Amino acid sequence: MEKLIAGQVVTYTGDPFEIPPEEAVQVLSDAAILIRDGRVVSIGGREHMRVKHPEAEFHDHGPALIVPGFIDAHAHYPQTAMIASWGKRLIDWLNSYTFPEEAKFADRAYADDIAARYLDLLLANGTTTVTSFCTIHPGSVDALFEAAEQRNMRVIAGKTCMDRDTAPEMLRDTAKAAYDESKALIERWHGKGRAVYAITPRFSPTSTPAQLDALGKLWAEHPSCLMQTHLSEQTDEIDWVKGLYPTARDYLDTYEQFGLVREGALFGHAIHLEPREIAHLKAMDCSLIHCPTSNTFIGSGLFDMGARKSEGHRVGLATDTGGGSSFSMLRTMAAAYEIGQLTHTALHPAQLLWLATYGSAQALRMEDRLGSIAPGMEADLTVIDLASTSAIAQRAIRAETIWEEIFPTVMMGDDRAISATYVMGERAVV
Ligand code: GUN
Ligand code: ZN
């Protein structure tokens, strides 16, 4: 069965940080997307496509904007229920709120409940793909991948590994258990349907060198997996890392020594970087994941998007929930804009939209399948109402250009702006 999904369709011709944003990101007014077997077949003018494909089921979204499904490139689904916990900075926030909540995932039924709740929240917010940390419990990984399988969502995830006494005992594994359990999960899930496994050491301060070494070896044995962790989020954390790894040249080196710095490595935050780290991350073609609502909420600092993009880094955009304060990638784009202003780079709405879709897909090295609306791509789509609240509508109506019309939704929009979400061409019920 073919389907035509009509609206104002966003397509990409290039990187809006390399060519003019309004040239790189095109908005085709009055267009329709033809979908067959969950993939995009073609895009054309609405009336032309209707005449050409009279049998196709017609989904008319009027003047709504149709964008690639949002891709949240770094999140912690187990932190769903403790999002917006008050008053702490990173290390105290982890100890006070995060670790006690993550301990609850020893209970598989609790993990199933949160995984389902979380993915439904994502779909309601127009996010069709997430790269998530789980907890040290292998059942927390099964819970998320099973919930994703039920929704046919492309989800990237992995068991969070921690074996140092800096983490509470109830949340510690060992170097060997981290290797064995991650390996068994890779064999069970990696490449099954839309599931992709990410080897997941939480961050250097909660792993021993032996654990990072074991996970580096595991990655070398399964090179098509991704690897996700955290890097240089807060200055206190960097000082802590220096104390725990006294011979390391810098924070990145604590990963580099163990084979964890190469293409397919996703470094969350990466704010306070040394020149050597910036150069080596680029040389190794690693991905930096910007988490703006988290960086302001936990008080971490300002990621320099303008500098990192002009150096040619792969940069994805992410919520980092529950460190981040929202499940919405629209809200995340707004926070990225605000941090851009504080770092002297006024990000164009076309750049923000591109980062939340193609940029994240590129960071995950999946831009051949995800992150744009083009023939052959998986048909994960988000439909956005550009007048979803009275406050947005009264501003949008004065707009003289399409980007002026889109920007109020970027800055002020949330799940109320998401009028439909399609996963592999099927409309998600949320
Ligand atoms: N660094 C290590 N673990 C975490 C986490 O759960 N959230 C954030 N924001 N930073 C971290
Ligand atoms: Zn994180």
Side-chain angles (χ1 to χ4, degrees):
M1 163 79 102
E2 292 185 334
K3 209 171 269 167
L4 275 177
I5 303 182
Q8 302 204 73
V9 178
V10 170
T11 62
Y12 301 140
T13 66
D15 182 334
F17 290 87
E18 288 173 3
I19 61 174
E22 297 183 22
E23 193 180 312
V25 181
Q26 303 274 326
V27 183
L28 312 174
S29 58
D30 248 348
I33 307 162
L34 180 69
I35 292 169
R36 189 189 308 133
D37 298 330
R39 286 178 186 273
V40 174
V41 179
S42 58
I43 302 133
R46 176 197 299 254
E47 285 319 310
H48 170 76
M49 295 292 271
R50 274 210 90 166
V51 170
K52 209 168 154 200
H53 305 282
E55 308 291 304
E57 188 179 288
F58 190 60
H59 293 230
D60 191 357
H61 292 287
L65 197 69
I66 307 182
V67 304
F70 292 133
I71 302 175
D72 184 345
H74 177 120
H76 300 257
Y77 98 83
Q79 298 171 14
T80 298
M82 48 70 69
I83 192 169
S85 290
W86 184 84
K88 308 277 186 193
R89 292 172 62 88
L90 180 62
I91 297 162
D92 291 335
W93 175 85
L94 286 170
N95 287 319
S96 310
Y97 302 122
T98 313
F99 291 151
E101 179 63 19
E102 291 193 10
K104 296 183 190 165
F105 286 69
D107 174 3
R108 176 62 200 266
Y110 188 72
D112 285 332
D113 179 32
I114 300 289
R117 184 188 312 176
Y118 176 70
L119 292 183
D120 288 341
L121 278 166
L122 291 195
L123 292 171
N125 278 284
T127 298
T128 49
T129 282
V130 67
T131 306
S132 183
F133 287 62
C134 298
T135 64
I136 65 148
H137 315 97
S140 73
V141 183
D142 293 327
L144 185 63
F145 278 136
E146 284 178 22
E149 198 171 45
Q150 283 160 15
R151 292 160 181 77
N152 202 20
M153 290 170 73
R154 191 174 272 294
V155 164
I156 302 97
K159 168 193 141 77
T160 297
C161 302
M162 299 197 273
D163 71 333
R164 243 192 218 258
D165 60 7
T166 45
E169 198 178 348
M170 66 195 169
L171 281 181
R172 286 208 296 266
D173 53 12
T174 61
K176 184 170 176 351
Y179 176 94
D180 292 344
E181 290 172 357
S182 301
K183 183 177 163 70
L185 288 163
I186 290 168
E187 284 163 3
R188 192 170 323 146
W189 287 110
H190 185 54
K192 182 170 186 242
R194 302 186 83 194
V196 171
Y197 196 85
I199 293 167
T200 307
R202 182 178 213 113
F203 64 159
S204 300
T206 48
S207 286
T208 61
Q211 181 169 77
L212 295 178
D213 185 49
L215 294 175
K217 294 207 164 85
L218 181 66
W219 197 19
E221 290 158 11
H222 299 275
S224 67
C225 290
L226 296 169
M227 190 288 301
Q228 61 177 343
T229 190
H230 297 87
L231 177 69
S232 297
E233 180 178 0
Q234 293 205 341
T235 51
D236 294 357
E237 171 204 10
I238 297 170
D239 294 341
W240 193 26
V241 169
K242 282 192 181 134
L244 293 169
Y245 294 82
T247 61
R249 286 172 291 178
D250 45 40
Y251 194 160
L252 187 66
D253 196 31
T254 64
Y255 298 121
E256 198 174 326
Q257 288 169 38
F258 302 110
L260 294 168
V261 179
R262 64 158 169 88
E263 75 285 352
L266 315 174
F267 291 103
H269 307 290
I271 301 169
H272 310 282
L273 299 173
E274 305 279 347
R276 189 200 80 84
E277 294 176 303
I278 294 170
H280 195 64
L281 286 161
K282 173 70 181 83
M284 301 309 283
D285 203 14
C286 298
S287 303
L288 312 181
I289 312 298
H290 179 34
C291 308
T293 72
S294 170
N295 298 161
T296 51
F297 183 76
I298 317 186
S300 302
L302 305 176
F303 179 87
D304 194 341
M305 178 69 77
R308 298 294 88 81
K309 281 299 294 178
S310 69
E311 292 152 2
H313 289 273
R314 285 175 193 261
V315 182
L317 192 63
T319 62
D320 190 36
T321 48
S325 55
S326 174
F327 298 98
S328 166
M329 289 298 284
L330 288 172
R331 180 72 202 93
T332 303
M333 287 152 67
Y337 178 78
E338 290 162 352
I339 290 182
Q341 287 288 57
L342 292 169
T343 53
H344 312 292
T345 305
L347 295 167
H348 190 287
Q351 293 174 320
L352 294 163
L353 198 54
W354 182 91
L355 281 169
T357 53
Y358 199 91
S360 283
Q362 224 176 25
L364 305 178
R365 308 183 85 85
M366 291 187 193
E367 69 272 27
D368 59 338
R369 280 165 279 174
L370 291 183
S372 62
I373 302 175
M377 304 298 289
E378 296 174 359
D380 290 347
L381 305 169
T382 292
V383 183
I384 302 176
D385 174 1
L386 296 177
S388 61
T389 66
S390 54
I392 294 173
Q394 62 87 37
R395 174 62 185 90
I397 206 161
R398 292 177 49 150
E400 288 175 10
T401 69
I402 184 66
W403 289 110
E404 206 188 321
E405 189 182 347
I406 291 170
F407 194 51
T409 288
V410 168
M411 291 311 299
M412 301 162 75
D414 54 27
D415 55 330
R416 290 168 291 179
I418 308 303
S419 46
T421 306
Y422 290 86
V423 178
M424 289 294 272
E426 296 297 325
R427 188 165 178 170
V429 180
V430 289

